[in-house]
Amino acid sequence: MIKITLPDGSVKEFKIGVTPMDVAINISEGFARNVISADYNLTTIETSTPLTTDGSLVLYTWNDLNGKKAFWHSTSHVMAQVLEEMYSGIKLTLGPAISNGFYYDVDFEDHKITDADFKKIEDRVLEISREKHEFKMRSVTKAEALEAYKDNVYKTELISNLEDGTITFCDHAIFTDLCRGGHIPNTGIIKAMKVMSVAGAYWRGDEKNKQLTRVYGTSFPKQKDLTEYLELLEEAKRRDHRKLGKELELFAFSQKVGQGLPLWLPKGAALRDRLEQFLKKAQKKAGYEQVITPHIGQKELYVTSGHYAKYGADSFQPITTPADGEEFLLKPMNCPHHCEIYNTKPWSYKDLPKRYAEFGTVYRYEQSGELHGLTRVRGFTQDDAHIFCTPEQLDEEFKKVIDLVLYVFSSLGFENFTAQISLRDKENRDKYIGSDENWEKAENAIINAAADKGLNTVVEYGEAAFYGPKLDFMVKDALGRQWQLGTIQVDYNLPERFELTYKGSDNELHRPVMIHRAPFGSMERFIAILLEHTAGNFPLWLMPEQAIILSLSEKYENYAKKVLNLLENHEIRALLDNRNETIGKKIRDAEMQKTPYMLIVGEEEEKNGTISIRRHGQEGKGNISVTIEEFASIVNEEINKTLKVFTV
Ligand SMILES: [Zn+2]
Ligand SMILES: [Zn+2]
């Protein structure tokens, strides 16, 4: 008999040779029907693998990431079978699962695969799948494996690097592939499959090697799941911030200025400024002081801070000057500058905390292949602040920062988020700087503050920075995608490196603790995420234009201008569309710009001193006629629903 431990901690005895599927059936027949893969002692195995030693078993269904991986990887076998059938003489290489599907890298030799072939491949994959072939692993000797793949240089290379005795093949139907394992029980559960795209990929990712064709695919246990996935992809494309940013004229890139260096257009700059003013106002209430520091600093500054060691080699190189030996760096972080601001004066414990805030632009060199719209750039502005406090104040300060972050999220419509508490590795404590006592204080401060604020948290051990624990906010956007936004980090390192001090009540000098925090993260990334989350329909308080006046004809121009003036008096941001265009065209353009309110003025409106309002995206609802005052209160009411006043 062997002892098998299940994830809930329960231990059961089974006969030697029991399979994961047997164990699943033992738990419940219903559960077993959904089990598609398994791990034993942290190693991926088949659900049919006989278990011969004591160990821990985890059974996976489609709802687990590991279950999905087995499902997708198994589908890659079936797709490889079909590709070989359709294009004779091609050479298969590797076919792993990736996030949202799988790929297979293939040397197509003289064949060419095109979009037109996709449907045929999909149909054939499903046809084979329906035949319910089992995936069966078998061990082979190195000599047998090499013999089987003697015509395939890629597999031969893979096999050569494997140790004899560890090599396995996987068979299903009439197809065999070199494989380590990790499959679903049989092909029958693959009910929907799609070839997504093809792309070039070098063998083993090395440009010196031959370029292969990577065939991307995905598959699902239900047709409905595939349909939903494709709809989600379409929606994500529609919401792509790069596309929306162009359409709404928010930002642009110029090859002449340089890759990864965003140019903010007037509307985008105004939007960004509004976000900054919003945060500045709340920060002022929360006791922050605004500072401004330069975009460059002496190289020595970053050697002291340790950033040079981290970013120096892979980032922008030092700027030299006519003076001998003088070197400056574009700043990769604002913290060193803020430390030096702290150091301009001696402090007493009574002066603390000091909270310095800056919308500070930093520069980091990203590989051009890594650049992506506003989410991966080479220059970006952090909504940065550094809090210098006594260890005793850490608890309270942490809670205050959480309040500010929550205020930001609620004002911008992010309702769905979790907070990840990143703590030290439990085992390996040597890699962290700072005393055990301080770490405990800081970790407890974060845990308590998060609990006190009722946050939905996950704790990750070993995810702390070497200089301190942190709290990261992960938001889910409207498409269910997860993004990391704001972060709060405790730091014992920089106060040490910059020799920051304050005089304690004991008249001795002590080191303050430093908190780095950025609720948005960076303005660029935040606006990108907000664009995709809202599809460009920002909260009304943030919209570049809240309303647009559409005159029915030139006759009403004077009245339209009067309306514009009145709106300005009510501090409503509005534009006037006085073009000699039909009202239909004007409405369509305003809808494209996602302007929240369209205000139509014509004869009737002029006579009654009213406007006809139409809300973006609600064409079916009909227009309502209101006075300017009534409209102003509609706008204010809508704004006050999301944008609350920050209170401390
Ligand atoms: Zn496999
Ligand atoms: Zn910092």
Side-chain angles (χ1 to χ4, degrees):
M1 299 293 269
I2 52 168
K3 285 197 184 78
I4 294 180
T5 310
L6 295 165
D8 64 1
S10 64
V11 183
K12 285 189 181 175
E13 287 210 10
F14 290 93
K15 265 200 237 142
I16 290 183
V18 68
T19 68
M21 193 50 87
D22 296 334
V23 177
I25 292 168
N26 180 275
I27 294 169
S28 109
E29 293 261 0
F31 173 62
R33 268 196 292 279
N34 290 315
V35 167
I36 57 177
S37 83
D39 269 5
Y40 202 54
N41 295 330
L42 302 173
T43 307
T44 303
I45 53 167
E46 309 292 298
T47 56
S48 58
T49 305
L51 306 176
T52 52
T53 58
D54 291 353
S56 305
L57 177 70
V58 189
L59 298 160
Y60 298 110
T61 70
W62 168 257
N63 295 324
D64 303 298
L65 184 62
N66 281 331
K68 286 188 176 75
K69 279 194 166 161
F71 193 92
W72 287 327
H73 167 68
S74 304
T75 316
S76 89
H77 279 267
V78 186
M79 185 178 79
Q81 177 190 357
V82 171
L83 293 176
E84 240 183 21
E85 199 178 279
M86 283 174 58
Y87 312 91
S88 64
I90 60 170
K91 292 183 176 69
L92 299 171
T93 69
L94 289 163
I98 51 173
S99 59
N100 298 319
F102 56 88
Y103 66 76
Y104 214 111
D105 279 350
V106 182
D107 183 347
F108 274 90
E109 302 276 6
D110 300 331
H111 296 283
K112 206 169 154 44
I113 175 171
T114 68
D115 296 16
D117 304 331
F118 291 3
K119 179 79 174 58
K120 234 162 103 189
I121 299 168
E122 291 158 9
D123 288 346
R124 183 68 185 127
V125 166
L126 291 180
E127 195 177 358
I128 294 169
S129 297
R130 276 192 294 272
E131 291 163 9
K132 244 182 145 176
H133 301 286
E134 281 177 37
F135 290 97
K136 288 186 199 142
M137 298 295 293
R138 91 183 125 97
S139 293
V140 289
T141 64
K142 196 163 182 168
E144 283 166 346
L146 287 169
E147 173 61 24
Y149 283 107
K150 64 176 186 294
D151 296 327
N152 183 326
V153 287
Y154 309 101
K155 296 276 191 194
T156 300
E157 187 181 319
L158 294 174
I159 295 162
S160 307
N161 292 324
L162 295 173
E163 233 169 87
D164 204 356
T166 66
I167 304 170
T168 48
F169 279 1
C170 174
D171 303 313
H172 81 269
I174 50 159
F175 181 80
T176 296
D177 206 347
L178 171 72
C179 186
R180 264 191 309 235
H183 306 97
I184 54 178
N186 67 68
T187 61
I189 54 174
I190 304 168
K191 294 286 201 306
M193 187 265 169
K194 189 150 178 66
V195 180
M196 301 301 292
S197 59
V198 289
Y202 294 103
W203 168 236
R204 306 214 124 176
D206 188 340
E207 305 179 27
K208 286 187 230 88
N209 291 336
K210 181 160 181 188
Q211 198 178 35
L212 308 171
T213 303
R214 180 165 293 179
V215 185
Y216 287 98
T218 191
S219 58
F220 293 90
K222 284 187 196 129
Q223 181 60 41
K224 187 174 140 269
D225 295 340
L226 173 62
T227 311
E228 277 171 15
Y229 175 67
L230 295 177
E231 279 167 6
L232 195 76
L233 284 186
E234 274 308 306
E235 187 53 31
K237 242 191 245 168
R238 271 194 289 277
R239 287 171 183 247
D240 189 323
H241 75 275
R242 295 167 300 176
K243 177 175 167 282
L244 287 174
K246 205 178 216 172
E247 287 168 8
L248 302 176
E249 298 177 21
L250 299 177
F251 59 88
F253 289 91
S254 146
Q255 291 300 320
K256 275 196 182 135
V257 172
Q259 280 188 311
L261 299 169
L263 303 174
W264 290 90
L265 307 179
K267 280 187 191 187
L271 178 113
R272 186 173 141 166
D273 185 55
R274 218 162 288 127
L275 273 175
E276 292 188 5
Q277 296 307 332
F278 152 77
L279 187 57
K280 273 185 185 165
K281 202 167 149 189
Q283 282 179 170
K284 195 169 172 202
K285 276 199 178 159
Y288 288 76
E289 296 169 284
Q290 208 65 29
V291 295
I292 299 174
T293 65
H295 288 240
I296 63 172
Q298 288 206 79
K299 183 178 151 186
E300 280 313 305
L301 176 71
Y302 306 105
V303 172
T304 304
S305 71
H307 292 120
Y308 186 72
K310 185 164 180 235
Y311 295 105
D314 302 323
S315 198
F316 292 107
Q317 293 306 295
I319 302 163
T320 53
T321 73
D324 212 16
E326 199 173 44
E327 286 185 309
F328 291 90
L329 282 180
L330 281 169
K331 73 173 164 191
M333 292 276 223
N334 300 301
C335 348
H337 295 245
H338 291 189
C339 286
E340 282 305 286
I341 289 181
Y342 180 89
N343 263 343
T344 53
K345 210 172 134 178
W347 300 103
S348 136
Y349 70 99
K350 288 184 216 145
D351 303 319
L352 301 186
K354 295 303 294 178
R355 309 178 187 96
Y356 296 134
E358 177 179 19
F359 285 89
T361 306
V362 296
Y363 301 88
R364 295 176 201 167
Y365 186 79
E366 300 275 358
Q367 297 292 328
S368 62
E370 303 280 307
L371 297 171
H372 181 86
L374 289 183
T375 55
R376 290 293 285 273
V377 285
R378 286 176 175 167
F380 56 95
T381 303
Q382 295 177 313
D383 55 323
D384 215 354
H386 296 97
I387 299 165
F388 302 90
C389 65
T390 70
E392 293 71 37
Q393 291 168 332
L394 195 56
D395 252 64
E396 207 44 45
E397 281 308 302
F398 222 91
K399 282 183 202 164
K400 285 184 184 166
V401 178
I402 293 177
D403 283 338
L404 190 66
V405 172
L406 297 185
Y407 171 68
V408 167
F409 288 180
S410 84
S411 303
L412 288 150
F414 288 108
E415 278 139 24
N416 203 338
F417 58 86
T418 49
Q420 180 182 312
I421 301 175
S422 300
L423 305 177
R424 275 182 302 180
D425 197 326
K426 279 183 183 162
E427 318 288 314
N428 180 2
R429 297 214 152 152
D430 299 342
K431 57 179 180 184
Y432 304 99
I433 73 145
S435 69
D436 258 349
E437 192 198 340
N438 277 340
W439 267 88
E440 233 149 73
K441 240 184 224 161
E443 293 188 335
N444 286 332
I446 296 182
I447 294 166
N448 294 337
D452 194 66
K453 295 296 168 191
L455 298 182
N456 180 11
T457 55
V458 282
V459 175
E460 294 287 346
Y461 289 94
E463 285 295 308
F466 75 92
Y467 52 77
K470 58 181 182 168
L471 185 67
D472 291 320
F473 288 85
M474 323 291 270
V475 300
K476 253 202 187 143
D477 73 6
L479 299 188
R481 297 171 302 180
Q482 188 148 290
W483 301 86
Q484 194 205 315
L485 279 185
T487 170
I488 317 176
Q489 302 196 2
V490 179
D491 185 353
Y492 293 106
N493 179 41
L494 287 186
E496 203 65 47
R497 283 173 172 258
F498 281 91
E499 298 176 8
L500 310 184
T501 57
Y502 68 89
K503 195 174 265 175
S505 55
D506 55 2
N507 249 339
E508 300 284 323
L509 286 182
H510 299 269
R511 286 256 183 271
V513 188
M514 195 171 165
I515 301 174
H516 309 249
R517 45 105 284 182
F520 294 141
S522 91
M523 302 309 289
E524 285 74 9
R525 202 175 126 80
F526 186 79
I527 290 172
I529 295 166
L530 192 60
L531 259 170
E532 301 202 357
H533 177 55
T534 63
N537 300 299
F538 298 111
L540 190 58
W541 66 268
L542 196 60
M543 275 315 263
E545 281 101 28
Q546 295 161 320
I548 184 161
I549 305 159
L550 312 175
S551 56
L552 278 173
S553 88
E554 285 162 33
K555 268 194 282 176
Y556 312 108
E557 191 175 334
N558 281 337
Y559 179 61
K561 280 184 182 155
K562 193 177 144 200
V563 171
L564 184 65
N565 269 330
L566 289 170
L567 292 177
E568 267 164 26
N569 293 344
H570 285 284
E571 293 188 3
I572 293 170
R573 291 185 296 277
L575 273 183
L576 173 56
D577 186 351
N578 236 340
R579 292 174 303 162
N580 191 14
E581 293 283 359
T582 63
I583 191 72
K585 166 92 171 110
K586 289 181 182 182
I587 289 174
R588 275 195 304 279
D589 289 350
E591 288 278 357
M592 266 293 285
Q593 285 296 307
K594 300 176 191 276
T595 316
Y597 287 99
M598 286 156 270
L599 316 176
I600 299 155
V601 295
E603 189 178 351
E604 192 74 2
E605 286 77 15
E606 181 164 12
K607 201 174 73 196
N608 300 327
T610 56
I611 47 180
S612 246
I613 64 174
R614 174 191 167 107
R615 187 73 170 86
H616 166 75
Q618 298 185 352
E619 51 271 37
K621 288 216 168 152
N623 306 341
I624 54 166
S625 194
V626 294
T627 64
I628 308 293
E629 280 67 33
E630 283 166 340
F631 176 63
S633 55
I634 291 174
V635 168
N636 280 329
E637 208 177 294
E638 186 178 336
I639 288 175
N640 292 338
K641 256 188 231 160
T642 42
L643 186 60
K644 304 270 187 289
V645 175
F646 181 66
T647 49
V648 285

